[in-house]
Amino acid sequence: MRVLLVEDDPTLSVGLKSDLQRAGFAVDVADNGVDGEFMGDEEPYDAVVLDLGLPDRPGLEVLRHWRERDNAVPVLILTARDAWHEKVDGFQAGADDYLGKPFHVEELIARLNALIRRRGGVASPRLKVGGLELDSDQQTVCDSSGQCFELTGTEFRLLRYFMLNPGKVLSKTRLTEHVYDYDSDKDSNVIEVYVKRLRQKLGKDIIQTRRGQGYVFEAER
Ligand code: CA
């Protein structure tokens, strides 16, 4: 899963970026409202963490612009503690959730995962699809025989994206966009390597190749 963090406090954003990466997200950072709005429109993020007090363009305006253009990316706003009116304004502008500063990063990660799961139509913290059970906290996957495997960060992000989109044909380009951050070398051939690794761990039938189109994670096997 790939998230955009729009936050102008450099200390906070550096810390959050590495915490989110450790939690299995690919993370891009914008430090002002204009860049943040542009990136949120250009790149297919799975969620956005949006500070409201931003230079160049306030967070609320960024959010309103996205919603006016039908950009429905899930957005969690960061509000000042006890500023109830910021929360109301945020929800009216189209926010999906909020967190008051200061906050614990564990709560931010839990809320982001919940937002992304709800968007994917999945209610449980453990993702169970196609005989597999993915554990976001441990970054492990268990098969129907109870055998569990550890996943690298990229393997985890790729498998989670497959499991949130079962039965859909996913192109290498789309997978690359959701698995890597902006700064990564987005060579879509790398996806082939990771699909091969997932097949080695979980069985070759887990992900089908559609020649010239991409891959399908099979929910029914
Ligand atoms: Ca700020």
Side-chain angles (χ1 to χ4, degrees):
M1 297 289 113
R2 184 173 171 200
V3 299
L4 172 63
L5 172 61
V6 191
E7 169 60 64
D8 60 314
D9 177 341
T11 314
L12 185 57
S13 75
V14 167
L16 276 182
K17 181 176 180 175
S18 62
D19 289 335
L20 289 170
Q21 284 173 328
R22 258 197 303 280
F25 295 98
V27 184
D28 292 330
V29 177
D31 65 2
N32 67 79
V34 171
D35 288 348
E37 182 177 324
F38 177 78
M39 290 165 78
D41 275 329
E42 289 297 302
E43 300 289 324
Y45 293 106
D46 298 291
V48 177
V49 178
L50 180 66
D51 185 31
L52 293 186
L54 290 170
D56 300 340
R57 187 169 296 159
L60 269 183
E61 211 176 306
V62 171
L63 180 55
R64 277 195 202 105
H65 289 170
W66 282 338
R67 297 316 190 216
E68 279 164 15
R69 286 194 290 271
D70 290 329
N71 181 342
V73 62
V75 173
L76 182 151
I77 54 172
L78 299 177
T79 66
R81 195 171 182 78
D82 298 331
W84 63 268
H85 55 92
E86 283 193 358
K87 295 165 196 163
V88 174
D89 292 345
F91 281 120
Q92 283 174 345
D96 299 277
D97 199 1
Y98 73 90
L99 204 48
K101 288 180 175 181
F103 53 84
H104 292 283
V105 70
E106 291 80 4
E107 183 175 0
L108 175 66
I109 289 165
R111 285 180 177 276
L112 275 181
N113 278 324
L115 266 186
I116 293 169
R117 278 198 311 271
R118 285 203 296 271
R119 186 54 58 96
V122 184
S124 160
R126 282 170 173 248
L127 195 51
K128 285 187 205 171
V129 188
L132 298 179
E133 185 167 344
L134 189 70
D135 185 323
S136 302
D137 294 333
Q138 308 288 328
Q139 294 196 15
T140 56
V141 61
C142 300
D143 65 19
S144 47
S145 70
Q147 202 179 359
C148 298
F149 304 88
E150 287 186 12
L151 299 169
T152 66
T154 306
E155 288 170 355
F156 172 75
R157 289 197 296 275
L158 183 62
L159 182 58
R160 182 164 59 174
Y161 195 72
F162 271 123
M163 290 174 72
L164 285 170
N165 295 279
K168 288 186 199 159
V169 179
L170 302 172
S171 70
K172 278 193 256 183
T173 309
R174 179 164 167 190
L175 290 167
T176 307
E177 285 172 346
H178 284 271
V179 169
Y180 291 104
D181 60 36
Y182 202 71
D183 298 329
S184 298
D185 177 20
K186 289 186 203 163
D187 179 356
S188 61
N189 292 321
V190 176
I191 295 292
E192 279 176 38
V193 175
Y194 283 101
V195 166
K196 197 173 161 192
R197 285 201 210 165
L198 289 176
R199 284 174 174 155
Q200 280 166 353
K201 283 183 179 170
L202 300 163
K204 66 175 168 40
D205 295 337
I206 185 113
I207 297 163
Q208 306 286 338
T209 302
R210 296 285 170 87
R211 201 167 292 278
Q213 296 182 71
Y215 300 102
V216 178
F217 176 82
E218 296 292 347
E220 311 289 336
R221 261 170 297 121

